[in-house]
């Protein structure tokens, strides 16, 4: 049964990851709800098998749940908010309640169970990272062809910005940057690591993703200040040097219209202000899962998100649930921030949290941005020296 379990985990986790990586593909994105259903179902099956057969590791699972009990009331509040939003505001559907329940199950599987499985089968984690690596190299190859050729296999640039096979350039930039920081780990060959960094940065510039570029700069400074072995005076010198280089780069990008200043904020500030005003009307309960989309469309916007995960979360689930969410994220980060064995995960989460101001992440979600966010948080909570933090 041990060998069968190992093969089962390999297959299930690989399928889930590949489906999620493909969920933002231009043609499949039209059927995003269906892909969510499949991925959630596979994760539920993975959880049931784990709880049935992993007696020793199941105890670790329950210990971890006791450490992060905040997740349970957080999702209870989310479900209550969604039910109230359905009954009082008509923003939701009964499917929305099921979606939140599915997020709850997926969050446990991605944050707790898969990292625990990786303590028993370390090769699975390497498989996960390799799949992401190879897929990103594929995205870069296709993206470069499209960017210079204009079209390839029915894929095109999006408003002149590289998106590879994805529906949005920001999705591509997010996946590539996440993978780039995940490669800041021991065991990755220097040549491979350097190649991925160079190719990823070039492709990210082609995407024109402003938030991603700034997020990379912030994460690099974070790495120097927290993990660099240099003395403080050298850290300051390096930071000042990078700041000067960054200013020069930013000035160049402004000159070539990379930041698209003529577009302003694309209505993001206005949407955020509107959402914050609406939060005052229902600060405790919020309006429920996915309600922000209908709210913005009713105001005449074409977006279904403010592009700020924290604002979307507060609007949907209220202030109390948002504070629980922030407390949970803060606890995971503070516990692990000084661990030298987790530099790649810590840098990845640093970038992702900043990027939450420009793209939507849902803890427990199964779209690739949310899935990677939840999974990386789970790996950040994992330690090689101890079984689990």
């Amino acid at each position: 049964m041990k060998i069968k379990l190992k093969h089962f985990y390999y297959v299930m986790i690989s399928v889930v990851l590949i489906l999620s990586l493909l969920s933002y593909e231009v043609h499949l994105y039209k059927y995003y709800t269906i892909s969510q259903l499949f991925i959630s179902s596979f994760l539920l099956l993975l959880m049931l098998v784990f709880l049935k057969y992993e007696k020793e590791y199941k105890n670790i699972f329950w210990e971890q749940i006791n450490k992060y009990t905040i997740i349970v009331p957080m999702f209870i509040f989310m479900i209550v908010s969604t039910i109230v939003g359905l009954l009082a505001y008509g923003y939701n559907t009964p499917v929305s309640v099921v979606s939140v329940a599915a997020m709850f199950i997926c969050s446990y599987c991605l944050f707790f169970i898969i990292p625990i499985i990786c303590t028993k089968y370390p090769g699975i984690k390497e498989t996960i990272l390799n799949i992401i690596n190879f897929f990103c190299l594929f995205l870069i190859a296709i993206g470069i062809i499209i960017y210079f050729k204009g079209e390839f296999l029915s894929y095109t640039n999006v408003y002149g910005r590289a998106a590879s096979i994805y529906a949005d350039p920001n999705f591509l930039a997010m996946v590539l940057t996440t993978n780039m920081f995940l490669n800041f780990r021991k065991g990755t060959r220097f040549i491979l690591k350097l190649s991925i960094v160079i190719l990823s940065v070039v492709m990210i510039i082609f995407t024109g993703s402003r938030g991603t570029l700034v997020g990379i700069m912030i994460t690099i400074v974070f790495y120097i200040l927290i993990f660099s072995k240099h003395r403080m005076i050298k850290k300051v010198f390096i930071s000042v040097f990078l700041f000067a280089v960054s200013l020069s780069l930013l000035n160049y990008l402004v000159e070539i219209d990379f930041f698209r200043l003529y577009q302003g904020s694309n209505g993001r500030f206005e949407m955020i202000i509107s959402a914050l005003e609406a939060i005052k009307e229902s600060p405790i309960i919020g309006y429920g899962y996915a309600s922000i989309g209908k709210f913005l469309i009713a105001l005449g916007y074409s977006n279904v998100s403010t592009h700020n995960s924290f604002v979307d979360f507060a609007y949907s689930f209220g202030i109390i649930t948002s504070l629980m969410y922030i407390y949970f994220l803060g606890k995971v980060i503070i516990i692990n921030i000084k661990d030298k064995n987790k530099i790649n995960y810590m840098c990845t989460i640093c970038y992702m949290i900043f990027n939450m101001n420009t793209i939507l992440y849902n803890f427990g979600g199964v779209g690739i941005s949310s899935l990677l966010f939840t999974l990386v948080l789970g790996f950040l909570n994992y330690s090689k020296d101890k079984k689990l933090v």
Side-chain angles (χ1 to χ4, degrees):
M1 189 65 193
K2 182 178 179 180
I3 297 177
K4 291 181 180 178
L5 270 180
K6 180 180 178 180
H7 290 166
F8 172 80
Y9 292 147
Y10 266 106
V11 171
M12 291 300 294
I13 293 173
S14 298
V15 169
V16 164
L17 188 56
I18 292 170
L19 286 177
S20 185
L21 283 164
L22 288 170
S23 64
Y24 290 165
E25 193 269 341
V26 172
H27 305 294
L28 295 178
Y29 194 57
K30 302 172 186 176
Y31 309 100
Y32 185 67
T33 302
I34 297 176
S35 67
Q36 284 182 306
L37 176 62
F38 275 110
I39 296 169
S40 299
S41 299
F42 289 141
L43 288 174
L44 174 59
L45 178 60
L46 181 69
M47 173 182 280
L48 293 175
V49 170
F50 174 85
L51 293 176
K52 181 175 178 61
Y53 294 105
E54 301 289 0
K55 296 181 180 179
E56 177 185 355
Y57 288 87
K58 186 166 65 174
N59 293 331
I60 300 174
F61 172 64
W62 292 116
E63 290 172 5
Q64 283 296 292
I65 288 179
N66 290 331
K67 285 187 177 182
Y68 294 101
T69 53
I70 192 70
I71 293 177
V72 175
M74 184 178 79
F75 273 99
I76 289 175
F77 269 74
M78 289 168 67
I79 291 174
V80 170
S81 297
T82 303
I83 293 174
V84 171
L86 169 63
L87 298 177
Y89 304 104
Y91 278 143
N92 317 115
T93 65
V95 175
S96 299
V97 181
V98 176
S99 297
V100 178
M103 285 173 60
F104 177 60
I105 294 171
C106 293
S107 68
Y108 268 51
C109 196
L110 293 167
F111 181 73
F112 293 123
I113 291 178
I114 291 180
I116 291 173
I117 288 173
C118 290
T119 66
K120 184 175 182 180
Y121 307 109
I124 292 181
K125 182 190 285 189
E126 285 304 311
T127 298
I128 291 172
L129 297 174
N130 286 334
I131 288 174
I132 299 171
N133 238 346
F134 289 128
F135 196 88
C136 284
L137 291 173
F138 164 76
L139 290 174
I140 291 171
I142 299 296
I144 289 175
I145 294 172
I146 297 169
Y147 188 77
F148 288 104
K149 190 178 178 182
E151 183 180 358
F152 182 69
L153 298 175
S154 79
Y155 299 110
T156 61
N157 292 318
V158 178
Y159 300 113
R161 300 166 59 192
S164 191
I165 67 171
Y166 282 161
D168 191 313
N170 293 316
F171 294 157
L172 175 62
M174 178 279 304
V175 173
L176 295 182
T177 306
T178 298
N179 180 62
M180 183 174 69
F181 284 124
L182 284 176
N183 274 284
F184 286 8
R185 66 184 189 276
K186 296 177 181 178
T188 304
R189 293 181 179 178
F190 177 77
I191 297 299
L192 176 60
K193 189 183 300 185
L194 182 62
S195 300
I196 289 172
V197 168
I198 293 173
L199 290 172
S200 297
V201 170
V202 169
M203 199 71 243
I204 290 163
I205 291 175
F206 289 166
T207 68
S209 180
R210 300 170 286 189
T212 296
L213 189 64
V214 176
I216 291 172
M217 294 176 180
I218 289 175
T219 305
I220 291 174
V221 172
F222 167 81
Y223 169 82
I224 292 171
L225 294 176
I226 301 299
F227 295 109
S228 174
K229 297 179 180 179
H230 299 298
R231 293 181 179 180
M232 184 54 66
I233 188 169
K234 285 188 177 180
K235 289 183 179 183
V236 172
F237 175 79
I238 294 172
S239 298
V240 171
F241 174 76
L242 286 176
F243 181 73
V245 172
S246 298
L247 282 180
S248 300
L249 176 61
L250 289 173
N251 182 59
Y252 169 73
L253 293 175
V254 167
E255 290 178 357
I256 64 173
D257 282 336
F258 176 85
F259 288 110
R260 307 184 300 283
L261 298 179
Y262 57 88
Q263 292 181 351
S265 65
N266 281 331
R268 293 185 183 187
F269 290 152
E270 293 79 2
M271 288 188 291
I272 289 173
I273 291 172
S274 297
L276 292 176
E277 288 295 324
I279 289 172
K280 295 178 183 178
E281 303 296 323
S282 182
I284 306 300
I285 296 298
Y287 299 92
Y289 174 77
S291 56
I292 186 68
K294 292 185 178 180
F295 168 73
L296 293 174
I297 290 173
L299 291 179
Y301 296 104
S302 58
N303 303 76
V304 293
S305 167
T306 64
H307 295 281
N308 186 301
S309 296
F310 291 111
V311 173
D312 284 10
F313 194 91
Y315 177 90
S316 299
F317 306 116
I319 302 299
I320 293 177
T321 313
S322 298
L323 291 175
M324 292 181 186
Y325 187 35
I326 293 171
Y327 169 80
F328 164 71
L329 293 178
K331 183 175 181 179
V332 176
I333 291 169
I334 290 171
I335 288 174
N336 297 282
I337 196 168
K338 290 290 187 178
D339 194 330
K340 300 290 186 179
N341 294 317
K342 304 176 185 177
I343 293 176
N344 58 327
Y345 303 127
M346 196 66 244
C347 287
T348 304
I349 288 299
C350 174
Y351 158 73
M352 284 184 150
I353 287 181
F354 174 83
N355 207 40
M356 290 173 88
N357 294 301
T358 59
I359 195 171
L360 182 62
Y361 292 85
N362 287 314
F363 178 71
V366 294
I368 190 58
S369 57
S370 301
L371 184 141
L372 285 177
F373 178 63
T374 311
L375 189 59
V376 172
L377 273 175
F379 284 139
L380 180 61
N381 184 53
Y382 162 87
S383 174
K384 288 184 179 179
D385 300 328
K386 297 173 277 187
K387 281 188 175 180
L388 286 170
V389 171

